Amino acid sequence: MIETPAIRPPLTQIPREVCCAQDYEWLAPNFIGEAAHAYVAGGCGPELTLAANRAAFEQTAILPRMLVDVTGGHTGLELFGCHLPHPVLLAPVAYQTLVHPLGEVETARGAAATDSCLVVSTLAGRTLEEVAAQAGDKRWFQLYFQPRRADTANLLSRAEAAGYKALIVTLDTAIKTPSLRAQRAGFAMPRQVVAASLADYPIPPQRLLERGQSLVFQGAMAEAPTWDDLAWLLGETRLPVIVKGVLRPADAQRLKAMGVAGLVVSNHGGRALDGAPASLRLLPAIRAAVGAGYPLLLDSGIRSGSDVFKGLALGADAVMVGRLQVYALAVAGALGVAHLLKLLRGELEVCMAQAGCATLADIGPDMIYH
Amino acid sequence: MIETPAIRPPLTQIPREVCCAQDYEWLAPNFIGEAAHAYVAGGCGPELTLAANRAAFEQTAILPRMLVDVTGGHTGLELFGCHLPHPVLLAPVAYQTLVHPLGEVETARGAAATDSCLVVSTLAGRTLEEVAAQAGDKRWFQLYFQPRRADTANLLSRAEAAGYKALIVTLDTAIKTPSLRAQRAGFAMPRQVVAASLADYPIPPQRLLERGQSLVFQGAMAEAPTWDDLAWLLGETRLPVIVKGVLRPADAQRLKAMGVAGLVVSNHGGRALDGAPASLRLLPAIRAAVGAGYPLLLDSGIRSGSDVFKGLALGADAVMVGRLQVYALAVAGALGVAHLLKLLRGELEVCMAQAGCATLADIGPDMIYH
Amino acid sequence: MIETPAIRPPLTQIPREVCCAQDYEWLAPNFIGEAAHAYVAGGCGPELTLAANRAAFEQTAILPRMLVDVTGGHTGLELFGCHLPHPVLLAPVAYQTLVHPLGEVETARGAAATDSCLVVSTLAGRTLEEVAAQAGDKRWFQLYFQPRRADTANLLSRAEAAGYKALIVTLDTAIKTPSLRAQRAGFAMPRQVVAASLADYPIPPQRLLERGQSLVFQGAMAEAPTWDDLAWLLGETRLPVIVKGVLRPADAQRLKAMGVAGLVVSNHGGRALDGAPASLRLLPAIRAAVGAGYPLLLDSGIRSGSDVFKGLALGADAVMVGRLQVYALAVAGALGVAHLLKLLRGELEVCMAQAGCATLADIGPDMIYH
Amino acid sequence: MIETPAIRPPLTQIPREVCCAQDYEWLAPNFIGEAAHAYVAGGCGPELTLAANRAAFEQTAILPRMLVDVTGGHTGLELFGCHLPHPVLLAPVAYQTLVHPLGEVETARGAAATDSCLVVSTLAGRTLEEVAAQAGDKRWFQLYFQPRRADTANLLSRAEAAGYKALIVTLDTAIKTPSLRAQRAGFAMPRQVVAASLADYPIPPQRLLERGQSLVFQGAMAEAPTWDDLAWLLGETRLPVIVKGVLRPADAQRLKAMGVAGLVVSNHGGRALDGAPASLRLLPAIRAAVGAGYPLLLDSGIRSGSDVFKGLALGADAVMVGRLQVYALAVAGALGVAHLLKLLRGELEVCMAQAGCATLADIGPDMIYH
């Protein structure tokens, strides 16, 4: 990690300065090299979507109920047949060895310590088997389609074999706008940070383009998944398949109709399409499109328990945190991740208590002020 | 007050620099230690609600009437059978000994000097009897439900015995999001600053939680008041009971229906639920819900006489000031509080005269520009 | 002018740095003492209205017409039987001797040099007769009702005798919120700066208030004009009477119905009621209330020829400039005022040419983009 | 170029710092003298329109489609019978010798290298014949009406003779509000920077105005084109005539009806009418006015491929870039211009791929989030 050295090694105790979940965001730059931090924190392009995500939460207000008896309250939920003690999942984040020497293995320990659901990325810095060995039983695998179907199928089998309980297929980043912030900071992925789970798959031969062909359309996108690929995938596994990266209500309906088990409404934290709207803004329309009872998750912009509350009120069943997870990992390893999750759950509980909601089912759209 | 020393002792005269009520806000940091100031000035969480309160006033515009004869004008009103010379009440603010050695006793003198209505907090730094001894006859008591009903009932009796004329029950802070600003400033309540009126009540035994129970739902909220508790309270006293902390029109209707005498539309000055909307924004809907003639007060964000005007125009009968009160107390004790109230009343009179409203009854919704 | 010394004496030539009318605003602080500048530039209270005035112009966009033949174009108009070469009037501004030793006499010379309409304030630093002697024939007198009707009537006679062609009665400042900016800058009106036209009227005896009476309602407002006073005034003069300070459509209708000759939609440049909306925002509703053909003027916030255009498009027949006038006077005396008017007229002509409007009659509401 | 010296000569290679098209904007000040940069970057007046252009793009969000097969994708289009490989044209920009010694000749080489469509200004620093000699076959000529019809006709013949394929007539700048930014920076056009194509036309005799006539209406605007002039022009050439500078839907309809071949919706990059709305905002209404299939171009504010996408989604067939072109020319001459165009096309392709649009025809209004 020569190019982007961590300024301080991860702490072995919870930092005193952390008063709330978002404080990990402010502390992290002390523990991540500047260029790597730009890579983690930045969004694509001029970061319009990154800013829109935060603005959407800040502009959403909660209208509390008074005097409700919440002594029977809890934050638990059932999701794909599994009981989760709280609705905050660890989003799949690639290359966590960039910010912590042990990477996702450490994240998994933090998740296990709090009985939280962990989603491991195809691009994890540690193999999916290594991570599974340290994870609790609430673990899902995030799948990126590989250039060769055989490799995708193999990943799938490995994930099933390693006890992952659900599959999140990310479909919003067939091609990415690079992060200008990272580029300007001179970021390059350090050599030792690799997608460990993919190490044994052959690198597909470089595609030769004819004159006049586009690096994008005939190049990168030649390997991008389509509706047919997704249909194939649904036939390959008995795990519930969740699609991540949905913003368009019509897409949501089609995905549900073809047998997808649930969706993650997401703009990839402002890291995919430069100029996409805030995920939170689309949530009500997507909930309306898929109807009640169909599992919807949200990510992109969550920094606090009240953000979680707002996401649930506008239609999500659960939410995922990406950057906060990385920040906590960088600051204090597994301990930081566990602490972060405890803080978020606690903040959600306080928000629910203040708003008069004893359970997640009570957090409906009428809790939002218009 | 070692941890948070006051930088200057309170003045014994009105400071020349004060041109308007809000100037006490700018002066106060010279008279309150930095950490204590952060505690007073800060809101909960990232202070979205604190900012929303001010924005709501700033975005509300007054449409004046011309050439109205206001020579018979005044700011008086009847409230719960009592004549008030003006509609600005001193909100219940806890622990005023934090900013002035004599605390609420001094505030009471300032209120009495201007014949203003004072609301004394359950968490006052001086006992309710000490404060009553220095207060004018326009004094109300603010009640927090105590862990033990007997203590609540005892507080009630003491308040009645001490001549308090009405009861404000605060119901929006069973649990609080801490002020990050205060935490970051290292604030801790100094040892000598205590809730004097509660000193003789036994501290209830610590509640032991079982494994898996929540510090929030089964912990703190186990003692939070519910609709039943409020019903009990209404049966315990002949004083008018006013509920403070209402934001939801449906709650307002239910409170009125069960016999509550009036409401304070409030988000606790941005100190309760992080993310609640501005109190001012909800006022018209709550007035519509309870109908004309039912007493409504407003707090949260008032800094000037024209803010008072805006609150009245949008549906309030009177308003309460919290932080300004504390700032004036810190700057110049009773004199400061009296001066503040005189300024606010004067600013309101000027605003009414400019807008062509001779009495509070003339300040209707059509005075607001849409 | 000891308390607020002018930093530089007025120039005797047009400053090179002035590229547009608003540049006089940026230059003025070099020619006006700091405290006096705060008095001129500031608005009342926290300056919400001052800011709203500018925001309203900035948020209004002009939708141009193409290819229109404007070679017969001009900016002339008829107003109260008088031909004006352009629709920018000099608003009545008090105490101009504060910024220039010769005060309004110099302003009058600038107006005369450009054949512009000048409105002289009751509170001018030079007598209305002195100013009339230097003014062109397009001069109006601005009237403040005096405490004694006899004095008001005398002022009226003097104005008629001195050849003023119309009367603007200002009715939005019976009482003023002071300018905090000026107070904070330590501004006090220098002793030698006086309302010269009022020098011979006796100061009315101070009104003694009874205990419990208000300095505002029974004090200052006892002398404030009412509908009856205005009716009396209309019977006292054959000059057209224009009312300044109208914001409320219903007031506008009533004023028209009682025989007032025209109105100035104005919030006194943010110097009267703290919290009033931008004058520009009310203009369309007031035009709708009084109908086509009834003279409407606008002031408050105009800084450029395109601001003039916007005011005309939204319903005004002409506009008035206050602060710009004072700035130009301070910078370069009569020359500055004349230059300012020439710039504003030129900017308006350019804007009209660009927008495809040959005459003021072409500048209708459909020139504004919604 | 003494008055506004270029700080660094143009590079002879692509600068490494450029990660995206807009980076040329940040680099340019190192290659253009301060005053000249103010002239290029500034808008007219207080730059309200300049800011509105950018705000419109930033506030427009793209709603992507998922899983679309775009492997057959491309950015090509037919425009006026000519195939363009991508929809980004080089806008006509005057006086490019101000920022590069070879001026438009160098720009033409950059366009030719990327097979992009170039529009050469009447006010080019190099003659239209010189530029044509270096340009590719996709070249259009931008026409300003000349004071004498004969000269306009001569320009037309020369453009046709030099192989220009279409004519863009700019009609929004018969008269310009000067750029305050440029004036304040002391900008004056250097003597050697001239409108080379006009060098041989006699300067028309100065128009003598009578007393009372306006420099604008009877002066500058006497030579401004009108509907009649445009009708004459349409009869003079067989080239397709495109009108640039349209903002008003009714004007668009009339232009189409009279035989104009296409329109450029434009506010001249905020350099024409101070206060005009953002071009992008008017695009949907103008598309609605002219109907589908009629060629519409857009300029004013485009800085990235996703801005191009937004323009196409809201109704444009293609877009033009002005300032970016100048910046790239200043930084690295023909190489910079070619690189800029390649970047913009690449950014557009990435945006299309991410949004699920294989061809420009797929980029409809439903790609925009409301």
Side-chain angles (χ1 to χ4, degrees), chain C residues 266-282:
Chain C
S266 168
N267 55 33
H268 215 112
R271 299 172 83 90
L273 167 61
D274 170 31
S279 309
L280 188 70
R281 297 279 186 222
L282 269 305

Short mmCIF file of all heavy atoms in Angstrom, two decimals, chain C residues 266-282:
data_model
loop_
_atom_site.label_atom_id
_atom_site.label_comp_id
_atom_site.label_asym_id
_atom_site.label_seq_id
_atom_site.Cartn_x
_atom_site.Cartn_y
_atom_site.Cartn_z
N SER C 266 -44.35 49.41 -3.24
CA SER C 266 -43.06 49.63 -2.58
C SER C 266 -43.06 49.06 -1.18
O SER C 266 -44.08 49.08 -0.49
CB SER C 266 -42.80 51.15 -2.49
OG SER C 266 -41.72 51.44 -1.64
N ASN C 267 -41.94 48.53 -0.76
CA ASN C 267 -41.74 48.23 0.66
C ASN C 267 -40.67 49.15 1.23
O ASN C 267 -40.02 48.82 2.21
CB ASN C 267 -41.43 46.75 0.89
CG ASN C 267 -40.24 46.28 0.07
OD1 ASN C 267 -39.30 47.04 -0.18
ND2 ASN C 267 -40.27 45.04 -0.37
N HIS C 268 -40.53 50.29 0.61
CA HIS C 268 -39.61 51.32 1.09
C HIS C 268 -38.17 50.80 1.05
O HIS C 268 -37.35 51.09 1.93
CB HIS C 268 -39.99 51.74 2.52
CG HIS C 268 -39.77 53.21 2.79
ND1 HIS C 268 -40.79 54.10 3.00
CD2 HIS C 268 -38.63 53.95 2.90
CE1 HIS C 268 -40.30 55.31 3.23
NE2 HIS C 268 -39.00 55.25 3.18
N GLY C 269 -37.89 50.02 0.01
CA GLY C 269 -36.53 49.49 -0.13
C GLY C 269 -36.09 48.66 1.05
O GLY C 269 -34.92 48.61 1.39
N GLY C 270 -37.06 47.96 1.65
CA GLY C 270 -36.70 47.13 2.82
C GLY C 270 -36.44 47.95 4.06
O GLY C 270 -35.80 47.47 4.99
N ARG C 271 -36.94 49.19 4.09
CA ARG C 271 -36.68 50.07 5.24
C ARG C 271 -37.92 50.30 6.10
O ARG C 271 -37.89 51.11 7.02
CB ARG C 271 -36.18 51.43 4.76
CG ARG C 271 -34.89 51.36 3.98
CD ARG C 271 -34.52 52.69 3.36
NE ARG C 271 -33.85 53.57 4.28
CZ ARG C 271 -32.53 53.64 4.45
NH1 ARG C 271 -31.75 52.82 3.76
NH2 ARG C 271 -31.99 54.47 5.30
N ALA C 272 -39.05 49.62 5.78
CA ALA C 272 -40.27 49.87 6.55
C ALA C 272 -40.62 48.65 7.41
O ALA C 272 -40.12 48.52 8.52
CB ALA C 272 -41.40 50.24 5.61
N LEU C 273 -41.43 47.77 6.90
CA LEU C 273 -41.83 46.60 7.70
C LEU C 273 -40.84 45.46 7.48
O LEU C 273 -40.73 44.93 6.38
CB LEU C 273 -43.24 46.15 7.29
CG LEU C 273 -43.67 44.76 7.79
CD1 LEU C 273 -43.68 44.70 9.31
CD2 LEU C 273 -45.03 44.39 7.24
N ASP C 274 -40.18 45.08 8.53
CA ASP C 274 -39.28 43.93 8.50
C ASP C 274 -40.09 42.67 8.23
O ASP C 274 -40.98 42.32 9.02
CB ASP C 274 -38.61 43.86 9.87
CG ASP C 274 -37.84 42.58 10.08
OD1 ASP C 274 -37.32 42.05 9.10
OD2 ASP C 274 -37.76 42.13 11.24
N GLY C 275 -39.82 42.02 7.11
CA GLY C 275 -40.55 40.80 6.80
C GLY C 275 -41.57 40.96 5.69
O GLY C 275 -42.22 39.98 5.31
N ALA C 276 -41.71 42.16 5.16
CA ALA C 276 -42.62 42.34 4.02
C ALA C 276 -42.04 41.62 2.80
O ALA C 276 -40.83 41.47 2.68
CB ALA C 276 -42.79 43.83 3.72
N PRO C 277 -42.90 41.19 1.88
CA PRO C 277 -42.39 40.53 0.66
C PRO C 277 -41.78 41.54 -0.30
O PRO C 277 -41.94 42.75 -0.14
CB PRO C 277 -43.66 39.91 0.06
CG PRO C 277 -44.79 40.71 0.60
CD PRO C 277 -44.36 41.24 1.94
N ALA C 278 -41.08 41.04 -1.30
CA ALA C 278 -40.50 41.89 -2.33
C ALA C 278 -41.62 42.65 -3.05
O ALA C 278 -42.65 42.06 -3.39
CB ALA C 278 -39.72 41.04 -3.33
N SER C 279 -41.40 43.93 -3.30
CA SER C 279 -42.39 44.72 -4.04
C SER C 279 -42.72 44.07 -5.38
O SER C 279 -43.87 43.99 -5.79
CB SER C 279 -41.85 46.12 -4.32
OG SER C 279 -41.37 46.73 -3.16
N LEU C 280 -41.67 43.61 -6.06
CA LEU C 280 -41.86 43.04 -7.39
C LEU C 280 -42.86 41.88 -7.37
O LEU C 280 -43.63 41.70 -8.32
CB LEU C 280 -40.52 42.55 -7.94
CG LEU C 280 -40.50 42.11 -9.40
CD1 LEU C 280 -40.68 43.28 -10.35
CD2 LEU C 280 -39.20 41.38 -9.75
N ARG C 281 -42.83 41.09 -6.29
CA ARG C 281 -43.72 39.92 -6.22
C ARG C 281 -45.20 40.32 -6.19
O ARG C 281 -46.06 39.57 -6.65
CB ARG C 281 -43.42 39.12 -4.94
CG ARG C 281 -42.03 38.53 -4.89
CD ARG C 281 -41.94 37.27 -5.69
NE ARG C 281 -40.63 36.64 -5.52
CZ ARG C 281 -39.94 36.10 -6.52
NH1 ARG C 281 -40.42 36.08 -7.74
NH2 ARG C 281 -38.77 35.56 -6.30
N LEU C 282 -45.49 41.47 -5.59
CA LEU C 282 -46.89 41.88 -5.46
C LEU C 282 -47.42 42.60 -6.68
O LEU C 282 -48.63 42.77 -6.86
CB LEU C 282 -47.04 42.79 -4.24
CG LEU C 282 -47.38 42.12 -2.92
CD1 LEU C 282 -48.64 41.27 -3.06
CD2 LEU C 282 -46.25 41.25 -2.41
#
